[in-house]
Amino acid sequence: MLPEALTRALREARHVCVLTGAGISAESGIPTFREAQTGLWENYDPLDLATPEAFLRDPALVWRWYRWRREIVAGAQPNPGHTALADLEGLVPKLTLVTQNVDGLHARAGSRTVIEFHGNLFATRCFVEGCIVNAAEDDAVPTCPACGSHARPGVVWFGEAIPAPALDQSFAAARDCDVFLSIGTSSLVYPAAGLAELAKNHGAVVAEINPNPTGLAAYFDHAIPGNAGKVLPELVAQLGDRQSRR
Ligand code: OAD
Ligand code: ZN
C-alpha cells in the first residue's frame, strides 16, 4: 500500500526533511489539539489556553493545564512511529526532523537532532525576560528568581514568534530537501504548515501520513491514509531492505 515512487524517492534522497505534529504522539496516549479532548479539560478549548493573553488573565489555570500535560507525557512512552523516525536517521544521508510537538518523545525514541519548533513542555521560562527558570514543581505559579515576574511554560503560544534558530534551520531544510514527510499534523498552523509547501515549491517529493487527509493533501505528491505508528515502520522496513540490497 506504500507508493513505490515514494520509497524510490527516499532511497535516492540526499536530504530528507520530516515535520511531525500531535498525531505522531496520539498512539502514545497523548491527546491531539483539534480532536476530541477527554476528561478534566473537555470544557476548555486548548487553543484558548495557549496564548499570552490567557496566561495574563489566569496564570494558575494555564499552569494547571500544562502540569496536566506534563503528567500525561511523563507517563507516556514513544511509539513505533517515533522509533521508525529515529531509525530513518541512520538510513538516509541527511535527515532534518522538525516537530511541532513539545513532548520530547522524538529524543526519547533516539532521534539525535530534533528542531523543536514550538518549544518544550518541560522548560520553564520567565514571562518577561524569556530566560530559563529552575522552578519548584509545586508552585501554583512559579516566579523568576532574577526579576520576580511570573514564569511560564517554555512553549510557543499563539501570537508568538517561532525562535529564530528553529525557524531558520527548518526553512533552510525545507528548501534543500529532496523528500519532505508531513506526519500527524492537521497542516493548519503556520508557519509550520508552510514548510511542506516550501519544500514542494523547491522541487521536493512531498508526502503526508495521516489517517484523515488534510486540506493540503491534494497539493502533495502522496497522501498515505494511515496511522504513523503503522505506516512509518513499514516505510522504514522497505527502505532498510532496499538499502541492504543495494
Ligand atoms: P492537530 O491536533 O491539529 O492535528 C493532529 C493531526 O493528527 C490530525 O490531522 C489527525 O488526523 C492526525 N492523527 C491522529 N492520529 C494519528 C496517527 N495515529 N497517526 C498520524 N496522524 C494522526 O495537531 P497539530 O497539527 O500538531 O501549537 O497542531 C499544530 C499546532 O497547533 C500544535 O503544535 C500546537 C497547536 O495549537 C502550539 O501550541 C503553538
Ligand atoms: Zn525574569
Side-chain angles (χ1 to χ4, degrees):
M1 91 157 203
L2 289 172
E4 168 65 26
L6 177 60
T7 40
R8 194 177 333 115
L10 276 169
R11 195 171 66 239
E12 290 165 2
R14 174 185 49 83
H15 183 183
V16 177
C17 185
V18 179
L19 173 70
T20 63
I24 195 163
S25 295
E27 291 161 84
S28 294
I30 299 172
T32 61
F33 290 92
R34 289 174 184 76
E35 300 173 289
Q37 290 287 304
T38 47
L40 194 54
W41 296 97
E42 66 193 2
N43 297 319
Y44 288 92
D45 182 344
L47 307 185
D48 282 345
L49 293 166
T51 64
E53 292 75 20
F55 186 76
L56 287 169
R57 208 162 44 232
D58 194 344
L61 173 73
V62 170
W63 265 112
R64 281 208 302 281
W65 187 55
Y66 279 92
R67 288 217 175 80
W68 172 72
R69 291 180 55 199
R70 282 181 176 181
E71 277 170 30
I72 293 177
V73 170
Q77 297 302 325
N79 68 58
H82 297 106
T83 309
L85 286 180
D87 293 342
L88 185 62
E89 213 171 3
L91 291 172
V92 296
K94 180 173 182 188
L95 183 110
T96 302
L97 175 54
V98 184
T99 188
Q100 296 169 87
N101 300 344
V102 295
D103 56 31
L105 289 183
H106 285 301
R108 281 170 59 194
S111 281
R112 284 193 300 274
T113 9
V114 184
I115 299 176
E116 291 184 314
F117 212 72
H118 290 157
N120 191 295
L121 186 56
F122 295 94
T124 300
R125 291 184 177 276
C126 173
F127 185 77
V128 173
E129 301 171 301
C131 55
I132 290 279
V133 168
N134 282 320
E137 258 307 311
D138 51 356
D139 286 352
V141 180
T143 49
C144 167
C147 75
S149 308
H150 282 153
R152 54 164 285 175
V155 300
V156 175
W157 283 331
F158 281 98
E160 295 186 317
I162 307 300
L167 199 63
D168 294 347
Q169 287 168 29
S170 305
F171 276 80
R175 277 190 218 100
D176 180 63
C177 69
D178 321 289
V179 178
F180 186 98
L181 303 177
S182 174
I183 304 167
T185 175
S186 53
S187 298
L188 289 171
V189 176
Y190 284 78
L195 291 170
E197 294 174 67
L198 186 63
K200 175 86 180 143
N201 294 342
H202 280 262
V205 172
V206 182
E208 169 181 284
I209 298 170
N210 195 314
N212 308 300
T214 70
L216 289 184
Y219 183 67
F220 296 153
D221 299 285
H222 305 282
I224 303 171
N227 287 342
K230 184 163 183 295
V231 174
L232 285 171
E234 283 173 15
L235 199 67
V236 165
Q238 277 202 17
L239 194 66
D241 282 355
R242 282 157 201 280
Q243 299 288 65
S244 56
R245 273 195 260 123
R246 254 179 171 181

